[in-house]
Each structure stands twice: as structure tokens, then as C-alpha cells.
Amino acid sequence: TRAPRMTSVVYMLYGMLAVLGTMGRAYLMIVLSHCVVLYTVALAKQRWLCFAAGLCSLASFRLEPFSMWQNGFVTRTFDLQDVLFYGGSGFTIMRCMSFALENSERKEGIYSIIDLLKYNFYLPFFFFGPIMTFDQFHSQVSTSELRRKDNEMWNIRVHALLHLGAIVAVDVFFHFFYILTLPADVKFVTRLSDWALAGLAYSNLVYDWVKAAVMFGIINTIARLDHLDPPQPPKCITMLYVFAET
């Protein structure tokens, strides 16, 4: 057994401290301001308003003068700034939209802003997702009975080793294969046979899938250790026969 309220609060505080240490106070305040704005909109319990506010929040990072106004609060830079800040901010807004939509569906009462912050600042999902909808996250972190399925820890270890092997394979591809740089050389590509071009295109698709699968897979493995049931990684590109499966 455990105290679910305290566990989720610890997740929230740890995530906020990690974001603060990684990006700094100004970036954290910008993320929090979007959370507060979208939470305020969620109080109206209007689905169309939640969608509109979320899309406007996303657009504010790319459209002037809103983008320049937000950048005016920034006083420092950090490693991987574009990836971490825009990734964390974008996924934050999508999580806020999920929260707002679930709140609008709730028949009695409203969720608190602490519920939103606990959901948003769960660190494994913060920067790169995947998006676990608020209703699923809230129900899973609120349960007081933690039971693992038979052989669950064995499966977690196996998946962790598979992801480690995939990381090594991608590193080998980077050093010994040039599937990402060859398409940039138009003269060379025009001399390739049809089979070679098809293989090059296929290799780029597989590499793109492996990159997403490894990133989501590592995050999912960590979340499963926290007794969550996160969304599954994307299906391999060679196993897709209906586009909707993506």
C-alpha cells in the first residue's frame, strides 16, 4: 500500500525541480503561466473553448509578437534549448488540453490545479511525451493497491535490454552507414539503381521508426516501474498496412 496523494505530489515536485534545474526559473514560469491560463479556461467546461485556447497557446510560441514577448522573459540559455523547451512546452499544452477536456466532461465539481500540475510535471512524460490522457493518469496514480502482473518485472527488464540494443544499433548506423546524408547529394542519388533508391528510402523510414520507438520505449519502461500503464510505442513501419495505425 501507499499514500497515492503523497506519491503524485512527489512526482510533481521532482519534475518541477528537474525542469527548474535544466531550463531555469524563467522557462519554468512560462510553462506554469500556460498551465494557469488553460486551467482558467477549463473552468468554463466548454470543449470548443478548451480546443481554441490550447491551439492559441501552441501558436503563441511561433507567431509574433507573442513569441518575442515570451522570449523577452528569458535571461539564459542551456544545452538542447530548442528541443527541451519547445518539446516540454508543446507537450505541456497538449496535456493541459487533455485535462481541460476531461474537466469539461466531469459532471460534478472540477479538478484542482494541483491535479493538473501533478499530471503535467510527471518527469518521464514532460519533455517528449507520449501523451497519457489525464483520466488514465489520474486514476492510475490515485490507486492505493499496487500489484504487478505475473512476470511483469521480467518483461520490463527484457524491454530495457531491447531498447539498449536498439540504441547501440542506431549508433552503429550513424558511424558506418550514411542513410541520412546520402539523400542530400543529388548527383550521387541520380546514379543509384531503383533497388538502391528503394533501400535508401526504406532505411530512412526504419531509422525514423527506431528513433521514435526507442525514445517512447525508454520512457514507457520507466513509467511501468512507477506502476503506470503508458501508451505503447509506434508499430514498426514494415508492419503497417493501414495508415490509421500510426
Side-chain angles (χ1 to χ4, degrees), residues 79-98:
D79 294 337
L80 300 176
Q81 178 172 323
D82 290 341
V83 175
L84 295 182
F85 175 64
Y86 288 110
S89 300
F91 277 106
T92 287
I93 293 170
M94 287 187 279
R95 284 187 289 266
C96 288
M97 291 175 69
S98 176

Side-chain angles (χ1 to χ4, degrees), residues 112-124:
S112 70
I113 192 170
I114 299 299
D115 290 326
L116 171 59
L117 296 180
K118 288 189 292 188
Y119 170 51
N120 182 61
F121 284 99
Y122 178 62
L123 188 60

Side-chain angles (χ1 to χ4, degrees), residues 8-178:
S8 56
V9 169
V10 170
Y11 289 159
M12 177 189 72
L13 294 177
Y14 181 78
M16 293 179 73
L17 289 174
V19 174
L20 176 64
T22 303
M23 301 195 298
R25 184 173 56 187
Y27 289 99
L28 178 60
M29 290 298 105
I30 291 175
V31 172
L32 283 173
S33 66
H34 282 278
C35 290
V36 171
V37 169
L38 292 174
Y39 176 78
T40 304
V41 173
L43 298 179
K45 290 194 171 185
Q46 297 293 325
R47 292 174 61 86
W48 70 269
L49 190 59
C50 297
F51 274 114
L55 294 176
C56 289
S57 293
L58 282 173
S60 69
F61 290 101
R62 304 301 300 174
L63 299 179
E64 300 297 346
F66 307 105
S67 178
M68 183 179 299
W69 180 72
Q70 292 182 89
N71 290 332
F73 293 100
V74 176
T75 57
R76 53 165 284 194
T77 59
F78 56 92
D79 294 337
L80 300 176
Q81 178 172 323
D82 290 341
V83 175
L84 295 182
F85 175 64
Y86 288 110
S89 300
F91 277 106
T92 287
I93 293 170
M94 287 187 279
R95 284 187 289 266
C96 288
M97 291 175 69
S98 176
F99 170 86
L101 293 171
E102 293 297 335
N103 189 68
S104 64
E105 293 292 325
R106 191 176 189 182
K107 299 184 182 302
E108 297 182 0
I110 58 174
Y111 293 106
S112 70
I113 192 170
I114 299 299
D115 290 326
L116 171 59
L117 296 180
K118 288 189 292 188
Y119 170 51
N120 182 61
F121 284 99
Y122 178 62
L123 188 60
F125 295 161
F126 181 80
F127 290 107
F128 302 114
I131 297 295
M132 186 176 184
T133 56
F134 174 76
D135 59 329
Q136 294 180 344
F137 180 86
H138 184 70
S139 63
Q140 290 179 28
V141 299
S142 299
T143 182
S144 58
E145 296 183 5
L146 299 180
R147 296 180 181 178
R148 292 199 182 277
K149 301 176 182 178
D150 295 340
N151 298 323
E152 183 176 358
M153 284 304 301
W154 168 257
N155 291 331
I156 290 176
R157 294 189 186 100
V158 170
H159 278 89
L161 290 175
L162 288 175
H163 299 320
L164 180 61
I167 291 173
V168 174
V170 169
D171 194 52
V172 170
F173 267 80
F174 267 137
H175 283 84
F176 299 104
F177 299 92
Y178 304 99

Side-chain angles (χ1 to χ4, degrees), residues 220-232:
N220 287 8
T221 301
I222 297 172
R224 289 173 65 190
L225 290 173
D226 288 332
H227 294 272
L228 297 178
D229 184 19
Q232 296 302 305

